[in-house]
């Protein structure tokens, strides 16, 4: 999720508001001291400013925590969050006696998209894909931008049919999406499963990455065959 200029202005506005409040309180203290003498018991000003600062920082603590666990561009989780949460998810899966699907997605020919339409358009593609992933998977599923044009999904399942339905729904959404460049976009998806393939996230990622590589190689071979056929005809 991107930080907008309006948010920054909002922060400055709050700082200014706090400063104004402090100035007003200091003005009142001046009047009180002038008419009645110093009365620190009634106006503990040294404590007020730290309290105001604590209020301000506390108000935005959740926002900073949110941003520390999220990818700036897409708003999806980042690697750090997934690495921290996987042990908890694994414990939950063991207790509920369900499996965890590890899906590693890579956008096919994404470099060509960036080269032909620019990186700004490439960012829009990644943002759209993030939205489609969120729409296709459940709230309990964890979706992350793993790096570049790679995404990671951790999905709890006990029935592979339900998992496959989610994946197919995502692919269908991609086909129906009205991409501005009027071309087709696709992804190569590699899969691994806890506890069948491995116990630890790092090993599961390696397994999913190997699976994805095979899918991508098959995609490239099919694309080369189609290109050769079009040349011949």
């Amino acid at each position: 999720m991107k930080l907008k200029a309006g948010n920054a202005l909002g922060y400055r506005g709050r700082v200014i508001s706090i400063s104004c409040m402090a100035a007003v309180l200091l003005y009142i203290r001046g009047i009180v001291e002038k008419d009645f003498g110093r009365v620190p018991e009634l106006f503990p000003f040294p404590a007020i400013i730290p309290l105001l600062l604590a209020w301000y920082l506390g108000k935005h603590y959740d926002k900073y925590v949110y941003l520390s666990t999220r990818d700036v561009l897409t708003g999806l989780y980042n690697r750090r969050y997934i690495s921290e949460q996987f042990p908890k998810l694994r414990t939950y899966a063991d207790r509920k006696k369900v499996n965890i699907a590890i899906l590693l997605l890579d956008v096919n020919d994404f470099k060509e998209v960036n080269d032909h339409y620019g990186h700004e358009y490439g960012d829009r593609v990644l943002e759209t894909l993030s939205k489609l992933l969120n729409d296709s998977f459940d709230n309990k599923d964890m979706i992350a931008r793993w790096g570049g044009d790679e995404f990671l999904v951790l999905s709890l399942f006990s029935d592979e049919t339900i998992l496959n339905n989610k994946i197919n729904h995502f692919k269908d959404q991609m086909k129906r999406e009205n991409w501005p460049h009027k071309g087709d976009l696709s992804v190569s998806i590699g899969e691994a499963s806890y506890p069948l393939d491995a116990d630890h996230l790092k090993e599961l990622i390696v397994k999913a990455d190997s699976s994805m590589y095979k899918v991508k190689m098959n995609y490239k071979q099919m694309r080369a065959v189609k290109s050769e056929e079009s040349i011949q005809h």
Side-chain angles (χ1 to χ4, degrees), residues 22-228:
V24 170
L25 290 172
L26 289 172
Y27 175 74
I28 294 173
R29 183 178 68 174
I31 294 176
V32 171
E33 288 181 347
K34 179 180 179 181
D35 294 339
F36 302 101
R38 188 173 182 81
V39 283
E41 298 81 9
L42 297 178
F43 294 90
F45 289 100
I48 290 177
I49 293 178
L51 286 174
L52 289 173
L53 289 174
W55 167 81
Y56 175 79
L57 294 174
K59 187 176 180 64
H60 296 286
Y61 175 76
D62 289 341
K63 180 176 291 186
Y64 292 130
V65 170
Y66 173 89
L67 292 175
S68 72
T69 62
R70 299 280 177 162
D71 172 64
V72 176
L73 175 66
T74 64
L76 299 178
Y77 291 122
N78 57 25
R79 280 184 176 233
R80 173 185 175 185
Y81 182 83
I82 294 298
S83 298
E84 291 176 348
Q85 294 299 314
F86 182 76
K88 299 177 184 179
L89 186 65
R90 184 177 58 192
T91 300
Y92 178 84
D94 291 341
R95 186 171 68 250
K96 295 296 183 179
K97 300 187 184 304
V98 296
N99 305 312
I100 307 174
I102 291 81
L103 308 176
L104 194 60
L105 300 82
D106 182 88
V107 183
N108 292 324
D109 306 319
F110 187 68
K111 184 179 183 301
E112 294 183 12
V113 172
N114 273 334
D115 290 345
H116 285 103
Y117 304 100
H119 289 278
E120 184 175 348
Y121 176 75
D123 287 347
R124 290 168 57 193
V125 168
L126 296 178
E127 290 173 326
T128 300
L129 287 173
S130 302
K131 179 180 181 301
L132 297 182
L133 284 169
N134 278 322
D135 292 343
S136 301
F137 288 86
D138 296 337
N139 291 332
K140 290 184 178 180
D141 298 330
M142 295 184 183
I143 307 172
R145 184 183 179 195
W146 205 239
D149 58 319
E150 286 188 350
F151 298 87
L152 182 76
V153 179
L154 302 182
S155 181
L156 297 167
F157 73 98
S158 56
D159 184 349
E160 285 194 28
T161 301
I162 296 176
L163 174 64
N164 290 331
N165 286 341
K166 293 179 182 180
I167 296 172
N168 290 332
H169 181 267
F170 170 69
K171 290 180 177 179
D172 290 340
Q173 290 287 88
M174 283 193 67
K175 291 178 181 178
R176 287 196 291 265
E177 183 67 26
N178 184 26
W179 301 105
H181 68 283
K182 305 303 179 185
D184 293 329
L185 280 177
S186 63
V187 294
S188 294
I189 303 177
E191 300 183 38
S193 176
Y194 169 84
L196 180 63
D197 294 315
D199 292 331
H200 301 286
L201 181 61
K202 184 176 180 180
E203 297 168 348
L204 290 163
I205 295 296
V206 170
K207 176 74 174 179
D209 186 64
S210 176
S211 173
M212 184 189 70
Y213 179 79
K214 294 177 182 177
V215 174
K216 185 168 283 291
M217 289 302 100
N218 184 55
Y219 163 80
K220 289 183 177 181
Q221 289 174 2
M222 292 178 59
R223 187 183 179 197
V225 170
K226 289 181 179 179
S227 177
E228 186 176 343

